[in-house]
Amino acid sequence: MKVVILAGGFGTRISEETAIRPKPMVEVGGKPILWHIMRHYAHYGLKDFVICCGYKGEVIKEYFLHYRSLASDFTIDMGSGDVTFHAPPDEDWKVTLIDTGPDSMTGGRVRRARHAIGNEPFCLTYGDGLSNVPIDRLLDFHQKQGKWATVTAVRQPGRFGALGMSEDGHTVTGFREKGVHDGGHINGGFYVCQPEVIDLIEGDSTIWERGPMEKLVELNQLSSFRHDDFWQCMDTLRDKSVLEEMWASNDCPWRIVYAS
């Protein structure tokens, strides 16, 4: 199963960092947040990635193009140009990098990557959110629900809009604005989708979280996987500082997936 990661936005709320790089390349613990997300999926055996690039996408392309050489010791024969890598990195990933345009919205990026996704179920998430969501349980839940899409519902106070959910908590029934003290669940990304959802995306200007997701609700085709453990997005410098502090103190729940 492929993992599609939206990595093309401008990241205006953290412009101090994104003036020189796209937000998914902003580092936590010396590694891009994109790398942390991919490590999480890879832990569960999902290692085939489709990265939807846009704003400063060349930075992401260069990172993966030179990843092996920069992460390894190597010997180079200056005469022949042959390179021998010593103890290369253990990331046995396949990474497809798609230029989905600088101005495409989230839905438009998915539509532009359709040829790389294929006609199979796929995972989809944002390039700026870390979590310890159990991907194996998420996939099992999605299969059992039998709907076109599943969104991971997480708890987060503050500025986000909440998901309305059915009594059993397994179906999304609508969307609403959320107050600071509202204990409701929000869209945390980490979707699982059937290929049919791409047909709900009209074009580059389609925002995934509006038209397509609202249509899925109308069709009763959107499930919600509740995850009440760790989830944190990186929208601002304060968010980055929180994640950096967690990493430095080894109190970072998403890091548990790196254990061998």
Side-chain angles (χ1 to χ4, degrees):
M1 179 180 285
K2 291 183 171 63
V3 179
V4 181
I5 303 179
L6 298 171
F10 290 99
T12 53
R13 290 180 179 172
I14 190 171
S15 58
E16 299 90 342
E17 290 275 354
T18 56
I20 60 173
R21 71 190 102 188
K23 185 160 66 164
M25 294 303 292
V26 175
E27 294 184 351
V28 174
K31 293 285 189 179
I33 192 170
L34 178 61
W35 176 88
H36 291 275
I37 296 167
M38 295 169 74
R39 283 287 298 229
H40 184 82
Y41 277 102
H43 173 74
Y44 291 94
L46 277 66
K47 302 180 181 181
D48 192 348
F49 298 96
V50 177
I51 311 298
C52 297
C53 302
Y55 172 70
K56 294 190 179 297
E58 67 278 3
V59 177
I60 302 176
K61 290 182 176 181
E62 289 175 2
Y63 177 78
F64 286 104
L65 188 63
H66 302 294
Y67 186 87
R68 189 179 187 190
S69 60
L70 294 177
S72 308
D73 295 335
F74 60 85
T75 299
I76 181 168
D77 186 319
M78 299 296 287
S80 66
D82 293 337
V83 179
T84 303
F85 290 97
H86 310 296
D90 61 359
E91 287 87 3
D92 54 342
W93 306 341
K94 179 180 178 183
V95 184
T96 301
L97 298 144
I98 306 290
D99 182 359
T100 57
D103 300 314
S104 297
M105 297 292 102
T106 47
R109 296 192 189 284
V110 174
R111 184 177 178 87
R112 284 202 178 203
R114 184 173 201 162
H115 64 284
I117 297 170
N119 193 34
E120 299 177 355
F122 61 96
C123 289
L124 170 68
T125 197
Y126 305 105
D128 63 355
L130 292 175
S131 180
N132 61 351
V133 58
I135 301 298
D136 53 351
R137 288 173 49 202
L138 170 62
L139 294 173
D140 183 62
F141 175 86
H142 174 76
Q143 184 175 25
K144 288 179 178 177
Q145 292 298 306
K147 297 189 178 183
W148 286 3
T150 297
V151 57
T152 298
V154 299
R155 290 190 181 276
Q156 172 72 29
R159 61 187 181 275
F160 299 92
L163 299 174
M165 294 192 293
S166 59
E167 290 186 8
D168 63 7
H170 292 167
T171 300
V172 178
T173 59
F175 307 94
R176 59 191 174 86
E177 292 301 315
K178 177 173 175 291
V180 173
H181 301 294
D182 188 331
H185 286 75
I186 66 165
N187 173 1
F190 294 93
Y191 305 91
V192 186
C193 301
Q194 298 301 119
E196 288 86 351
V197 304
I198 303 180
D199 292 328
L200 303 178
I201 302 170
E202 295 182 359
D204 286 354
S205 62
T206 301
I207 299 172
W208 164 252
E209 300 80 5
R210 295 184 184 172
M213 286 188 68
E214 290 170 352
K215 185 62 176 180
L216 287 169
V217 170
E218 290 178 17
L219 297 173
N220 194 32
Q221 288 291 340
L222 182 60
S223 299
S224 58
F225 178 78
R226 288 181 56 165
H227 177 66
D228 290 329
D229 206 336
F230 175 78
W231 177 88
Q232 176 67 54
C233 69
M234 188 181 63
D235 268 347
T236 65
L237 278 181
R238 180 185 179 279
D239 296 331
K240 172 179 162 58
S241 295
V242 168
L243 292 170
E244 287 279 17
E245 289 170 6
M246 295 177 76
W247 182 271
S249 66
N250 284 323
D251 180 23
C252 43
W254 76 92
R255 196 173 187 171
I256 192 172
V257 303
Y258 304 158
S260 58

